[in-house]
C-alpha cells in the first residue's frame, strides 16, 4: 500500500489524515501535562506540542515567558477554529505569559490581496473586539499590525539571511515571492518579543502553521549571537466540516461555522445537517448505542460548545447506551450549546467594541 502523504501547506487546502505520522515528521510530541490544565489540552483539541519544556519550566518557576499568535484579517468573520487559538492564548495569559496578538496584514496583503487599509479596518471593527470577546484580557494583551512594527520587519530581513533557497523550497514547497515575504515576516513576529528580553515563548497555532514553526526554530538556532530561546508551539487540530467529509484549515469555507453566525435560524439549519454516529435504524441504535467517536455533533460540543465536563459526559453516555437518539441529542446539546455560545459571544463582542479605545497597541 502506498504511504499516505502528509500535506501541510500554510496557504493551501491542508488535509491531514494521519496526525501520528505528521507528529513524527515534524518532531512534535504529545501535549504534556500543564498546571491548571486547560480544557483544550485535556480534551485533545490541542494534540501536539513542540519545544515546550522551557515554557513549562517558566510557568512552574514563575519566570517570564511570552505567548504570541497572529491571525490574518482575510475575512470579515473568523472561523470557529480561531476561537481555539484564542482559548490557548487565554490559557497562557492566565499562566502569566506576556501576551502578543498580531494582525497579519502584510501576509493577507501578499497572499490574499486584502489591502493593508482594508485589513486594518476589519481588525478594528471585528477581529480585535472578537478576540477580547473570546476571553483575552484587554489590559494584558499587546496587539500590533505587522505593517506597523518596524522591529518585526527588521528582524525578518535578518532571518532571511539564514535560510537557503533549497531549504525554503523543501519546507514550503514553493519559492513564490508572496510566500517568501510572509514567511520571513512571520519569523520576525515570532522572535521579536525576545529583542527586549530573552525568554521562552509559546506560539499557539493550527497545525497548518507547522512549517513556520520548524523554520523559525532553525533560524533562531542559527542566529547564535542573539541568544534567542527557541520558540515552542502547541498545535490544534482542524475542526471537521459539519458533514464530516473533511478536516479543514481556516482557509476553506464550505460546511463550516463562522463567528459570528448571521442568525439563529441559519445556525440551526446548518447544525441540523451535522453528521452523527447514528445507526441505520432506531431499534439498532437503542440496542447497540450510537458512536460518539465519529460524531461531528459530539466533536463540536467537545471542542467548542460544551465547557461543562459533566454535561459533555452525559451527552456521551446517553449516546453510548442508546438512550438519546441523534435528533433529540442534536437539539439538546449541539443546537442549544451553540446558541448559548453565540449569544455569549455577541454580548461580549458589543462590550469589547465599546472598549476598543482601551486596547493596547505596540507602535
Ligand atoms: N500565518 C498565520 C495565518 O495564516 C498568521 C501569522 C502571522 C502568525 N504571523 C504569525 C501566526 C506569528 C502565529 C505566529 O493566520
Amino acid at each position: 500500500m502506498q504511504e499516505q502523504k502528509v500535506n501541510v501547506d500554510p496557504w493551501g487546502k491542508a488535509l491531514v489524515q494521519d496526525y501520528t505520522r505528521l507528529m513524527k515528521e515534524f518532531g512534535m510530541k504529545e501535549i504534556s501535562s500543564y498546571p491548571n490544565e486547560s480544557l483544550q489540552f485535556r480534551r485533545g483539541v490541542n494534540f501536539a506540542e513542540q519545544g515546550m519544556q522551557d515554557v513549562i519550566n517558566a510557568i512552574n518557576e514563575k519566570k517570564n515567558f511570552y505567548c504570541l499568535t497572529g491571525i490574518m484579517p482575510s475575512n470579515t468573520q473568523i472561523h470557529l477554529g480561531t476561537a481555539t487559538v484564542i482559548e490557548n492564548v487565554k490559557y497562557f495569559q492566565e499562566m502569566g505569559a506576556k501576551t502578543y496578538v498580531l494582525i497579519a496584514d502584510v501576509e493577507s496583503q501578499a497572499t490574499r490581496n486584502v489591502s493593508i487599509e482594508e485589513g486594518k479596518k476589519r481588525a478594528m471593527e471585528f477581529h480585535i473586539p472578537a478576540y477580547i470577546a473570546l476571553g483575552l484580557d484587554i489590559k494584558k494583551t499587546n496587539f500590533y499590525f505587522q505593517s506597523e512594527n518596524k522591529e518585526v520587519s527588521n528582524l525578518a530581513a535578518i532571518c532571511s539571511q539564514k535560510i537557503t533557497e533549497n531549504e525554503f523550497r523543501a519546507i514550503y514547497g514553493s519559492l513564490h515571492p508572496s510566500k517568501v515575504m510572509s514567511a520571513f515576516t512571520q519569523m520576525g513576529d515570532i522572535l521579536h518579543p525576545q529583542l527586549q528580553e530573552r525568554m521562552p515563548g509559546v506560539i499557539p497555532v493550527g497545525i497548518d502553521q507547522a512549517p513556520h514553526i520548524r523554520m523559525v526554530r532553525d533560524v533562531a538556532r542559527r542566529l547564535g549571537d542573539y541568544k534567542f530561546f527557541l520558540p515552542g508551539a502547541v498545535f490544534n487540530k482542524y475542526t471537521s466540516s459539519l458533514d464530516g467529509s473533511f478536516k479543514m484549515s481556516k482557509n476553506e469555507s464550505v460546511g463550516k461555522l463562522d463567528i459570528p453566525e448571521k442568525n439563529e435560524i441559519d445556525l440551526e439549519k446548518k447544525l441540523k445537517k451535522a453528521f452523527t454516529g447514528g445507526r441505520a435504524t432506531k431499534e439498532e441504535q437503542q440496542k447497540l448505542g450510537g458512536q460518539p467517536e465519529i460524531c461531528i455533533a459530539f466533536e463540536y460540543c467537545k471542542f467548542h460548545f460544551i465547557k461543562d465536563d459533566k454535561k459533555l459526559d452525559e451527552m456521551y453516555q446517553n449516546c453510548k447506551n442508546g438512550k438519546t437518539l441523534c435528533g433529540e441529542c442534536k437539539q439538546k446539546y449541539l443546537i442549544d450549546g451553540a446558541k448559548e455560545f453565540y449569544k455569549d459571544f455577541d454580548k461580549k463582542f458589543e462590550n469589547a467594541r465599546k472598549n476598543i479605545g482601551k486596547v493596547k497597541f505596540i507602535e
Side-chain angles (χ1 to χ4, degrees), residues 34-39 91 95:
Y34 286 81
N36 300 328
E37 203 158 51
S38 84
L39 187 127
Y91 165 74
M95 292 293 104

Side-chain angles (χ1 to χ4, degrees), residues 10-11 68-74 102-104 107 112 144 146 182 185-187 189-190 203-205 208-209 212-213 250-251:
W11 298 285
L68 174 144
T69 200
I71 296 147
M72 278 200 264
S74 6
L102 65 101
I103 307 302
E107 181 177 2
R112 301 271 190 263
Y144 72 88
Q146 282 180 324
S182 307
T185 307
Q186 183 151 348
M187 287 177 225
D189 288 327
I190 292 176
I203 318 298
V205 280
D208 57 318
Q209 302 292 302
H212 293 301
I213 302 297
K250 304 189 283 297
N251 306 333

